[in-house]
Amino acid sequence: MQTSSIPRRDFIAYSSAAIAGLIALRSSLARAFPARPGEEVVPWMDQPPPVPDAAAGDVQNLMKWEDLNSWLTPNDRFFSISHYDRPVIDMASWALEVGGSVARPLRLTLDDIKARPRREVVFTLECSGNHGFPWVTSAVGNARWTGTPLAPLLEEAQVRGSGREVVFVGADAGEEEVRKIKVRQNFARSMTLADAMSRDNILAYEMNGAPLPQPNGFPLRLIAPGWYGIANVKWLDRIEVRDAPFMGRFQARDYVTLREEERDGRMVGIETSVGRALLKSAPARVTRQGSQYRIIGAAWGAPIARVEVRIDKGPWMPATIDRSEEADHAWRIWSLDWDAPAPGEHQITSRAMDFRGNMQPAMEDPVIANKRTYWESNGQVTRRIRVG
Ligand SMILES: Nc1nc2c(c(=O)[nH]1)N[C@H]1C(S)=C(S)[C@@H](COP(=O)(O)O)O[C@H]1N2
Ligand SMILES: [Mo]
């Protein structure tokens, strides 16, 4: 599977390279992106509208897909989303607390956390609202996150037998109303104890080798690879083990998907909390070198086996997946050469397939068409472009 999907140009290079040279080639490919000297970027015709004023505080720094030219998203080009304030943490008094249903509560300064074992993970973080509104189509980015594994910390705190959920609490807060009662609440999200204990989870203090930027959660955030953005709590302040399910706003009242499903010929509305990431892809940019066009995109949300591209109403064509940079939870960059397209307007759609045989759903698929809320919009993305 792996071998048959190596792009042909790479395969030719591999077979003619000496073993020693192969290692050097690998590391040079590791910096590659499907770019050609002197190419120009052809902008999409269907540009997203600007972020509305009412959401401009929450959603910031959305990238322009046409600007995507690296596997890792630089920190200054990484989007940020916050639902309350964006707290500036006073490091003189900050410490992470681990408490609740634990036998040994912990209190750790940033230095304590940095002194613990270090682990890094490259993870593509997407907001589950991405493509849910016309103005948010690029709330996704790929970064190398560094921190300390979460599981040993929970083990040290000795979770009691009754503990079933782990709540991650941010320093940001706002006023919420529950049955006419107003209460100030911190941003918080939970996971089952088993999910929290996943070896993938880290408490991250670095992003792409720099201290975590303030908009992305300085000094510390949860990085939960394989989960939508919402689970990756920023400005982390407290980790609390609870005996009963957590029902906070961003767990149980918002970031909830309402979908109608057929049951014995009737439609039944089912609400689920947004959690694990879903298989997705999108065309990112079209480049041009004379009459040679190339479509480049990204695919993420699951281990990507295959990406196909459709131009107008034509056949689905396999894209070449760049395997030079691979990480379990990171997006794959793909490309398709498009030689001498006819002048005029064209539509470009991509669809991703994972190694389990799942396919990114079409927009008409009931799983998307019968979804009533905007979260988890992982339907196939179509972009429009003018040639010539
Ligand atoms: N404390 C806190 N963490 C948070 C949020 C928030 O509002 N407060 N927003 C979440 C959402 S909705 C997303 S999509 C991701 C975005 O991460 P980023 O801002 O680093 O891109 O952070 C998540 N973590
Ligand atoms: Mo989000």
Side-chain angles (χ1 to χ4, degrees):
M1 197 71 215
Q2 203 77 330
T3 320
S4 65
S5 62
I6 289 179
R8 187 150 46 98
R9 63 190 152 88
D10 295 352
F11 186 72
I12 291 163
Y14 276 26
S15 53
S16 62
I19 294 299
L22 212 140
I23 293 153
L25 176 72
R26 255 259 161 233
S27 61
S28 75
L29 278 174
R31 271 170 268 121
F33 189 85
R36 298 166 294 182
E39 68 185 5
E40 54 181 279
V41 177
V42 186
W44 299 110
M45 295 172 69
D46 50 354
Q47 292 295 329
V51 176
D53 286 348
D58 288 18
V59 180
Q60 292 179 8
N61 209 29
L62 289 175
M63 70 162 173
K64 214 169 174 278
W65 273 117
E66 285 93 334
D67 292 344
L68 182 79
N69 62 0
S70 59
W71 184 60
L72 290 171
T73 311
N75 291 358
D76 60 359
R77 279 160 63 179
F78 208 96
F79 79 101
S80 77
I81 292 185
S82 64
H83 293 286
Y84 293 138
D85 53 322
R86 293 172 173 253
V88 178
I89 308 290
D90 172 15
M91 290 311 288
S93 58
W94 182 89
L96 175 73
E97 303 203 6
V98 183
S101 273
V102 298
R104 289 190 47 205
L106 308 176
R107 192 169 189 280
L108 300 160
T109 65
L110 192 57
D111 285 342
D112 295 336
I113 291 166
K114 286 185 175 168
R116 299 179 64 89
R118 244 174 105 86
R119 172 126 56 83
E120 52 177 49
V121 58
V122 180
F123 165 47
T124 299
L125 188 138
E126 183 189 25
C127 177
S128 51
N130 197 31
H131 291 100
F133 305 90
W135 47 268
V136 48
T137 60
S138 59
V140 56
N142 185 43
R144 188 184 304 278
W145 312 91
T146 306
T148 195
L150 171 66
L153 232 146
L154 291 172
E155 273 160 10
E156 255 175 67
Q158 296 176 16
V159 175
R160 294 211 168 96
S162 57
R164 56 179 287 177
E165 289 206 4
V166 182
V167 186
F168 300 88
V169 186
D172 48 333
E175 193 177 78
E176 294 295 341
E177 197 181 286
V178 179
R179 303 217 60 159
K180 303 269 186 326
I181 299 158
K182 289 200 167 83
V183 62
R184 199 172 157 75
Q185 282 182 345
N186 285 81
F187 180 93
R189 277 279 304 196
S190 73
M191 277 186 183
T192 64
L193 185 57
D195 284 338
M197 290 296 289
S198 159
R199 300 218 4 97
D200 290 337
N201 297 334
I202 62 170
L203 301 179
Y205 44 77
E206 280 176 23
M207 180 178 176
N208 291 327
L212 204 56
Q214 196 271 335
N216 308 98
F218 180 86
L220 192 71
R221 80 181 299 174
L222 173 66
I223 285 294
W227 293 71
Y228 269 121
I230 189 73
N232 296 261
V233 177
K234 305 192 282 187
W235 307 296
L236 195 61
D237 204 49
R238 201 150 47 85
I239 298 177
E240 198 173 294
V241 181
R242 306 288 304 192
D243 298 351
F246 171 72
M247 300 294 280
R249 170 174 162 195
F250 298 100
Q251 190 77 29
R253 306 199 298 283
D254 198 351
Y255 280 84
V256 164
T257 293
L258 169 61
R259 181 180 276 119
E260 293 196 276
E261 295 179 11
E262 205 192 298
R263 294 281 185 282
D264 303 322
R266 280 192 308 153
M267 297 306 274
V268 180
I270 299 190
E271 289 162 276
T272 50
S273 181
V274 172
R276 288 181 197 278
L278 297 178
L279 176 63
K280 191 162 171 180
S281 72
R285 67 188 332 201
V286 171
T287 58
R288 183 176 86 96
Q289 218 183 25
S291 63
Q292 307 296 104
Y293 284 65
R294 178 176 284 176
I295 303 161
I296 296 156
W300 63 92
I304 303 298
R306 206 175 150 80
V307 174
E308 292 177 341
V309 180
R310 184 183 199 191
I311 298 167
D312 302 320
K313 296 287 169 230
W316 287 100
M317 295 172 284
T320 300
I321 296 178
D322 187 324
R323 299 273 178 200
S324 61
E325 294 274 24
E326 294 236 48
D328 285 352
H329 296 286
W331 64 17
R332 300 291 190 275
I333 303 298
W334 51 263
S335 62
L336 179 76
D337 286 343
W338 187 23
D339 294 341
E345 201 183 311
H346 295 281
Q347 292 197 347
I348 296 168
T349 307
S350 69
R351 64 181 188 189
M353 272 143 270
D354 70 12
F355 281 105
R356 291 199 189 95
N358 299 309
M359 191 194 286
Q360 182 184 1
M363 293 302 285
E364 309 77 45
D365 190 307
V367 84
I368 298 296
N370 295 340
K371 190 166 70 63
R372 299 290 171 242
T373 46
Y374 37 79
W375 311 117
E376 303 183 276
S377 294
N378 71 320
Q380 293 165 18
V381 175
T382 298
R383 302 292 315 257
R384 285 192 296 124
I385 201 148
R386 189 186 302 284
V387 164

Short mmCIF file of all heavy atoms in Angstrom, two decimals, residues 78-84 125-128 145 170-172 187 207 215-217 221 229-235 250 255, ligand 1:
data_model
loop_
_atom_site.label_atom_id
_atom_site.label_comp_id
_atom_site.label_asym_id
_atom_site.label_seq_id
_atom_site.Cartn_x
_atom_site.Cartn_y
_atom_site.Cartn_z
N PHE A 78 -1.01 31.00 11.69
CA PHE A 78 -1.92 29.99 12.26
C PHE A 78 -3.18 30.69 12.77
O PHE A 78 -3.09 31.68 13.49
CB PHE A 78 -1.23 29.25 13.41
CG PHE A 78 -1.73 27.85 13.61
CD1 PHE A 78 -1.07 26.77 13.06
CD2 PHE A 78 -2.90 27.62 14.35
CE1 PHE A 78 -1.53 25.47 13.24
CE2 PHE A 78 -3.36 26.32 14.53
CZ PHE A 78 -2.69 25.24 13.98
N PHE A 79 -4.35 30.17 12.42
CA PHE A 79 -5.61 30.78 12.87
C PHE A 79 -5.74 30.67 14.39
O PHE A 79 -5.04 29.87 15.03
CB PHE A 79 -6.80 30.09 12.19
CG PHE A 79 -7.18 28.76 12.80
CD1 PHE A 79 -8.26 28.66 13.67
CD2 PHE A 79 -6.45 27.62 12.52
CE1 PHE A 79 -8.60 27.44 14.24
CE2 PHE A 79 -6.79 26.39 13.08
CZ PHE A 79 -7.87 26.30 13.95
N SER A 80 -6.61 31.48 14.96
CA SER A 80 -6.92 31.29 16.38
C SER A 80 -8.40 31.54 16.63
O SER A 80 -9.01 32.40 15.98
CB SER A 80 -6.05 32.18 17.28
OG SER A 80 -6.52 33.49 17.25
N ILE A 81 -8.96 30.74 17.54
CA ILE A 81 -10.38 30.88 17.88
C ILE A 81 -10.52 30.88 19.39
O ILE A 81 -9.94 30.05 20.09
CB ILE A 81 -11.21 29.74 17.25
CG1 ILE A 81 -11.21 29.91 15.72
CG2 ILE A 81 -12.65 29.74 17.80
CD1 ILE A 81 -12.07 28.97 14.95
N SER A 82 -11.25 31.89 19.90
CA SER A 82 -11.51 31.95 21.33
C SER A 82 -12.95 32.42 21.53
O SER A 82 -13.40 33.32 20.84
CB SER A 82 -10.55 32.92 22.01
OG SER A 82 -10.78 34.22 21.53
N HIS A 83 -13.64 31.79 22.44
CA HIS A 83 -15.05 32.11 22.65
C HIS A 83 -15.29 33.10 23.77
O HIS A 83 -16.36 33.69 23.85
CB HIS A 83 -15.83 30.82 22.88
CG HIS A 83 -15.87 29.97 21.64
ND1 HIS A 83 -16.65 30.28 20.57
CD2 HIS A 83 -15.18 28.86 21.30
CE1 HIS A 83 -16.45 29.39 19.61
NE2 HIS A 83 -15.56 28.51 20.03
N TYR A 84 -14.34 33.27 24.67
CA TYR A 84 -14.46 34.28 25.72
C TYR A 84 -13.38 35.33 25.48
O TYR A 84 -13.18 35.74 24.35
CB TYR A 84 -14.31 33.62 27.09
CG TYR A 84 -15.44 32.67 27.47
CD1 TYR A 84 -15.15 31.45 28.10
CD2 TYR A 84 -16.78 32.98 27.23
CE1 TYR A 84 -16.16 30.58 28.48
CE2 TYR A 84 -17.80 32.10 27.60
CZ TYR A 84 -17.48 30.91 28.23
OH TYR A 84 -18.47 30.04 28.59
N LEU A 125 -4.68 20.77 13.35
CA LEU A 125 -5.79 21.18 14.21
C LEU A 125 -6.82 21.91 13.36
O LEU A 125 -6.50 22.88 12.68
CB LEU A 125 -5.22 22.09 15.30
CG LEU A 125 -6.15 22.50 16.43
CD1 LEU A 125 -5.39 22.43 17.75
CD2 LEU A 125 -6.66 23.90 16.25
N GLU A 126 -8.05 21.41 13.37
CA GLU A 126 -9.12 22.05 12.61
C GLU A 126 -10.28 22.40 13.53
O GLU A 126 -10.67 21.59 14.37
CB GLU A 126 -9.65 21.12 11.50
CG GLU A 126 -10.72 21.81 10.64
CD GLU A 126 -11.44 20.90 9.65
OE1 GLU A 126 -11.51 19.68 9.89
OE2 GLU A 126 -11.94 21.44 8.65
N CYS A 127 -10.83 23.59 13.36
CA CYS A 127 -12.05 23.94 14.09
C CYS A 127 -13.20 23.17 13.45
O CYS A 127 -13.32 23.12 12.22
CB CYS A 127 -12.34 25.44 14.00
SG CYS A 127 -13.90 25.87 14.81
N SER A 128 -14.06 22.59 14.28
CA SER A 128 -15.19 21.81 13.75
C SER A 128 -16.21 22.70 13.07
O SER A 128 -17.12 22.21 12.41
CB SER A 128 -15.85 21.01 14.86
OG SER A 128 -16.13 21.87 15.95
N TRP A 145 3.88 20.41 17.88
CA TRP A 145 3.59 20.79 19.25
C TRP A 145 4.51 20.02 20.18
O TRP A 145 4.69 18.82 20.01
CB TRP A 145 2.13 20.47 19.60
CG TRP A 145 1.12 20.94 18.59
CD1 TRP A 145 0.64 20.24 17.52
CD2 TRP A 145 0.46 22.22 18.55
NE1 TRP A 145 -0.28 21.00 16.81
CE2 TRP A 145 -0.40 22.22 17.43
CE3 TRP A 145 0.52 23.37 19.36
CZ2 TRP A 145 -1.21 23.32 17.09
CZ3 TRP A 145 -0.27 24.45 19.02
CH2 TRP A 145 -1.12 24.42 17.90
N GLY A 170 -9.83 26.18 31.07
CA GLY A 170 -8.99 27.30 30.64
C GLY A 170 -9.11 28.47 31.60
O GLY A 170 -10.03 28.52 32.42
N ALA A 171 -8.18 29.43 31.47
CA ALA A 171 -8.23 30.62 32.33
C ALA A 171 -9.25 31.63 31.82
O ALA A 171 -9.61 32.57 32.55
CB ALA A 171 -6.84 31.26 32.39
N ASP A 172 -9.72 31.47 30.58
CA ASP A 172 -10.68 32.41 30.01
C ASP A 172 -12.08 32.09 30.54
O ASP A 172 -12.43 30.93 30.78
CB ASP A 172 -10.64 32.38 28.48
CG ASP A 172 -10.68 30.97 27.88
OD1 ASP A 172 -10.25 30.00 28.55
OD2 ASP A 172 -11.16 30.82 26.73
N PHE A 187 -13.94 28.53 30.30
CA PHE A 187 -13.99 27.62 29.16
C PHE A 187 -13.54 26.24 29.65
O PHE A 187 -12.54 26.13 30.36
CB PHE A 187 -13.06 28.09 28.03
CG PHE A 187 -13.08 27.19 26.84
CD1 PHE A 187 -13.94 27.44 25.78
CD2 PHE A 187 -12.28 26.05 26.78
CE1 PHE A 187 -13.98 26.59 24.67
CE2 PHE A 187 -12.32 25.19 25.69
CZ PHE A 187 -13.17 25.48 24.63
N MET A 207 5.12 25.57 20.21
CA MET A 207 4.47 25.40 18.91
C MET A 207 5.51 25.75 17.85
O MET A 207 6.06 26.86 17.86
CB MET A 207 3.28 26.37 18.84
CG MET A 207 2.48 26.34 17.56
SD MET A 207 1.11 27.51 17.74
CE MET A 207 0.37 27.41 16.12
N PRO A 215 -2.20 33.88 21.44
CA PRO A 215 -3.53 33.53 20.89
C PRO A 215 -3.78 32.03 20.87
O PRO A 215 -4.93 31.60 20.80
CB PRO A 215 -3.50 34.09 19.47
CG PRO A 215 -2.31 34.98 19.39
CD PRO A 215 -1.34 34.53 20.43
N ASN A 216 -2.71 31.23 20.89
CA ASN A 216 -2.86 29.78 20.81
C ASN A 216 -2.75 29.10 22.17
O ASN A 216 -2.62 27.88 22.25
CB ASN A 216 -1.86 29.19 19.82
CG ASN A 216 -1.92 29.88 18.47
OD1 ASN A 216 -1.12 30.77 18.18
ND2 ASN A 216 -2.88 29.52 17.65
N GLY A 217 -2.78 29.91 23.26
CA GLY A 217 -2.93 29.32 24.58
C GLY A 217 -1.80 29.47 25.57
O GLY A 217 -1.77 28.72 26.56
N ARG A 221 -1.37 24.36 26.81
CA ARG A 221 -2.65 23.90 26.28
C ARG A 221 -2.64 22.38 26.17
O ARG A 221 -1.57 21.77 26.07
CB ARG A 221 -2.95 24.51 24.92
CG ARG A 221 -2.22 23.82 23.76
CD ARG A 221 -2.51 24.44 22.42
NE ARG A 221 -3.92 24.38 22.07
CZ ARG A 221 -4.43 24.95 20.99
NH1 ARG A 221 -3.65 25.64 20.17
NH2 ARG A 221 -5.71 24.84 20.72
N GLY A 229 -10.57 20.90 17.06
CA GLY A 229 -9.98 22.02 17.79
C GLY A 229 -10.55 22.22 19.17
O GLY A 229 -9.80 22.43 20.14
N ILE A 230 -11.86 22.16 19.29
CA ILE A 230 -12.55 22.47 20.55
C ILE A 230 -12.02 21.69 21.75
O ILE A 230 -12.04 22.18 22.88
CB ILE A 230 -14.08 22.23 20.37
CG1 ILE A 230 -14.89 22.75 21.56
CG2 ILE A 230 -14.41 20.78 20.09
CD1 ILE A 230 -15.00 24.22 21.67
N ALA A 231 -11.53 20.46 21.51
CA ALA A 231 -11.04 19.63 22.62
C ALA A 231 -9.67 20.09 23.12
O ALA A 231 -9.26 19.72 24.22
CB ALA A 231 -10.95 18.17 22.17
N ASN A 232 -8.99 20.90 22.31
CA ASN A 232 -7.60 21.29 22.61
C ASN A 232 -7.58 22.57 23.44
O ASN A 232 -7.29 23.66 22.95
CB ASN A 232 -6.83 21.46 21.30
CG ASN A 232 -6.71 20.14 20.53
OD1 ASN A 232 -5.69 19.47 20.59
ND2 ASN A 232 -7.77 19.76 19.83
N VAL A 233 -7.92 22.42 24.72
CA VAL A 233 -8.15 23.57 25.61
C VAL A 233 -6.88 24.41 25.78
O VAL A 233 -5.81 23.89 26.10
CB VAL A 233 -8.68 23.09 26.98
CG1 VAL A 233 -8.86 24.27 27.93
CG2 VAL A 233 -9.99 22.33 26.79
N LYS A 234 -7.04 25.72 25.55
CA LYS A 234 -5.93 26.68 25.63
C LYS A 234 -5.89 27.33 27.01
O LYS A 234 -6.80 27.19 27.79
CB LYS A 234 -6.10 27.75 24.55
CG LYS A 234 -6.23 27.16 23.14
CD LYS A 234 -6.12 28.22 22.07
CE LYS A 234 -7.39 29.02 21.89
NZ LYS A 234 -7.30 29.93 20.73
N TRP A 235 -4.83 28.08 27.27
CA TRP A 235 -4.66 28.81 28.54
C TRP A 235 -5.04 27.91 29.71
O TRP A 235 -5.77 28.30 30.64
CB TRP A 235 -5.52 30.10 28.55
CG TRP A 235 -5.26 30.95 27.35
CD1 TRP A 235 -4.09 31.57 27.04
CD2 TRP A 235 -6.19 31.27 26.29
NE1 TRP A 235 -4.23 32.25 25.84
CE2 TRP A 235 -5.49 32.09 25.37
CE3 TRP A 235 -7.52 30.94 26.02
CZ2 TRP A 235 -6.09 32.58 24.21
CZ3 TRP A 235 -8.12 31.43 24.87
CH2 TRP A 235 -7.40 32.24 23.98
N PHE A 250 -19.56 24.19 26.19
CA PHE A 250 -18.87 23.76 24.96
C PHE A 250 -18.79 22.25 24.82
O PHE A 250 -18.22 21.72 23.88
CB PHE A 250 -17.48 24.40 24.89
CG PHE A 250 -17.58 25.90 24.82
CD1 PHE A 250 -17.38 26.69 25.95
CD2 PHE A 250 -17.94 26.53 23.65
CE1 PHE A 250 -17.50 28.06 25.89
CE2 PHE A 250 -18.08 27.90 23.57
CZ PHE A 250 -17.86 28.68 24.71
N TYR A 255 -21.34 23.41 20.39
CA TYR A 255 -20.48 22.37 19.81
C TYR A 255 -21.20 21.02 19.92
O TYR A 255 -20.63 20.02 20.30
CB TYR A 255 -19.09 22.36 20.43
CG TYR A 255 -18.20 23.46 19.84
CD1 TYR A 255 -18.24 24.76 20.33
CD2 TYR A 255 -17.38 23.18 18.75
CE1 TYR A 255 -17.47 25.76 19.76
CE2 TYR A 255 -16.60 24.18 18.17
CZ TYR A 255 -16.65 25.46 18.69
OH TYR A 255 -15.89 26.47 18.13
N1 LIG B 1 -9.46 28.02 26.69
C1 LIG B 1 -9.94 27.91 25.44
N2 LIG B 1 -9.50 26.92 24.66
C2 LIG B 1 -9.96 26.78 23.39
C3 LIG B 1 -10.92 27.68 22.86
C4 LIG B 1 -11.38 28.73 23.71
O1 LIG B 1 -12.23 29.55 23.34
N3 LIG B 1 -10.87 28.81 24.99
N4 LIG B 1 -11.38 27.51 21.59
C5 LIG B 1 -11.27 26.15 21.03
C6 LIG B 1 -11.59 26.09 19.62
S1 LIG B 1 -13.23 26.26 19.22
C7 LIG B 1 -10.65 25.82 18.67
S2 LIG B 1 -11.09 25.58 17.06
C8 LIG B 1 -9.22 25.74 19.02
C9 LIG B 1 -8.40 26.67 18.15
O2 LIG B 1 -7.04 26.61 18.48
P1 LIG B 1 -6.11 27.80 17.98
O3 LIG B 1 -6.70 29.08 18.45
O4 LIG B 1 -4.75 27.53 18.54
O5 LIG B 1 -6.10 27.74 16.48
O6 LIG B 1 -8.98 26.08 20.39
C10 LIG B 1 -9.92 25.53 21.28
N5 LIG B 1 -9.48 25.77 22.63
#
